[in-house]
Amino acid sequence: MIRAMVGDLTKVEGIEYICNAANGIGPMGGGVAAAIRRAGGRVIEEEAIRVCQAQDPKPGDLYVTGAGSLPFRGVIHLVTMKQPAGATSYDIVRACLERLVAYCREHGIKKAALPALGTGVGRLDKENVARLFVEVLGPVEDVEFVVVDIDQAFIDFVQQRQ
């Protein structure tokens, strides 16, 4: 199930994990990643770099770090591109969403918040990404996904498709 709202992902209440639109090498220099790093501390980025060096995640994968000073159990990093500000695709976003659902189910996570994926530096069309969110996350009944983004248009697209 999906709930969508405009807001700051790092300030959502009642959530176990937040998701980051991540690269596969760890630096959290821009967009949502930078906002998470600023709010939760550099410790998140430092752990992300270590995890990426150990696991070498590919686009479509995910990895998890602590949440630093943020009030969440952790940060789920959805790898939408290998290099910072690199290319992504709708297939990669779909794979990230499908892996997120599987990870939440495997680990008993009932509430996770995530931003638009691939619509910033990835330059994917917001309406098409919103459609993917609804297709993949909408039918899930055992996990609540809260889509939180600063982009009103993206949130409107998600809400219109539910």
Side-chain angles (χ1 to χ4, degrees):
M1 89 186 71
I2 301 176
R3 195 163 41 102
M5 57 191 262
V6 173
D8 182 338
L9 181 69
T10 66
K11 294 186 171 131
V12 178
E13 296 182 1
I15 297 296
E16 295 171 82
Y17 285 80
I18 59 170
C19 299
N20 176 28
N23 60 65
I25 61 173
M28 299 172 68
V32 171
I36 292 170
R37 185 195 69 231
R38 282 192 301 273
R42 276 211 169 305
V43 64
I44 301 170
E45 179 179 55
E46 291 163 359
E47 185 178 358
I49 292 168
R50 283 194 309 274
V51 169
C52 287
Q53 288 170 343
Q55 295 179 6
D56 190 28
K58 307 288 185 253
D61 290 343
L62 66 76
Y63 62 93
V64 180
T65 65
S69 62
L70 292 170
F72 309 111
R73 288 175 46 198
V75 177
I76 299 170
H77 301 264
L78 302 170
V79 182
T80 56
M81 57 194 61
K82 185 62 180 178
Q83 297 295 320
T88 192
S89 71
Y90 299 109
D91 288 340
I92 291 169
V93 170
R94 178 182 291 278
C96 285
L97 294 173
E98 289 170 348
R99 287 217 170 77
L100 175 62
V101 171
Y103 184 85
C104 288
R105 286 177 168 159
E106 270 175 48
H107 294 88
I109 298 166
K110 296 297 176 201
K111 279 190 168 189
L114 70 158
L117 299 175
T119 62
V121 298
R123 296 189 210 43
L124 296 180
D125 178 77
K126 294 171 190 171
E127 193 166 4
N128 289 335
V129 172
R131 181 180 44 74
L132 283 175
F133 272 52
V134 173
E135 281 177 19
V136 176
L137 304 178
V140 177
E141 295 181 4
D142 53 334
V143 182
E144 180 180 2
F145 295 100
V146 182
V147 180
V148 183
D149 204 272
I150 58 171
D151 187 325
Q152 180 71 56
F154 181 77
I155 297 302
D156 289 346
F157 288 139
V158 171
Q159 291 173 334
Q160 291 163 8
R161 277 150 191 74
Q162 293 188 73

